[in-house]
Amino acid sequence: GNTLYIPASIEEFKFFGKAEGVLYCHLQAVEKNDKKLVVNIQIYSKSGILVASIKGFEARAIQKEAFQKLLGRIETGIAYV
């Protein structure tokens, strides 16, 4: 499609231990609509130990064309937030 989801915020991040080597990620969708996507994320070591947890990771929807225009402005140093 023409919609991209850009990271916007995180409600909570917890780090439980050393993260080395291969890591696996499990996502659980909390909310999705035309404007945003919210997921909870668990990151596990190769042996299945929980390394980190991200609650309420929110990404906001943006049209691909609008994002490309924004990237062009950033590259030329005229981006406004």
Side-chain angles (χ1 to χ4, degrees):
N2 284 333
T3 303
L4 301 173
Y5 287 89
I6 307 300
S9 66
I10 293 173
E11 183 179 328
E12 178 181 88
F13 181 89
K14 290 183 180 179
F15 188 70
F16 301 108
K18 197 171 185 181
E20 290 187 68
V22 176
L23 299 173
Y24 296 94
C25 179
H26 176 263
L27 292 132
Q28 176 188 23
V30 175
E31 179 181 354
K32 183 180 180 197
N33 58 44
D34 293 341
K35 296 184 180 189
K36 68 180 179 179
L37 169 66
V38 181
V39 297
N40 293 330
I41 304 168
Q42 292 79 39
I43 301 170
Y44 295 92
S45 69
K46 189 174 182 179
S47 60
I49 296 171
L50 183 62
V51 174
S53 174
I54 302 169
K55 180 180 176 186
F57 177 93
E58 182 178 323
R60 298 209 180 125
I62 185 171
Q63 293 302 309
K64 188 183 285 186
E65 296 82 18
F67 183 67
Q68 289 170 335
K69 285 181 185 177
L70 176 62
L71 284 179
R73 290 182 186 155
I74 290 170
E75 289 173 3
T76 59
I78 57 169
Y80 302 101
V81 180

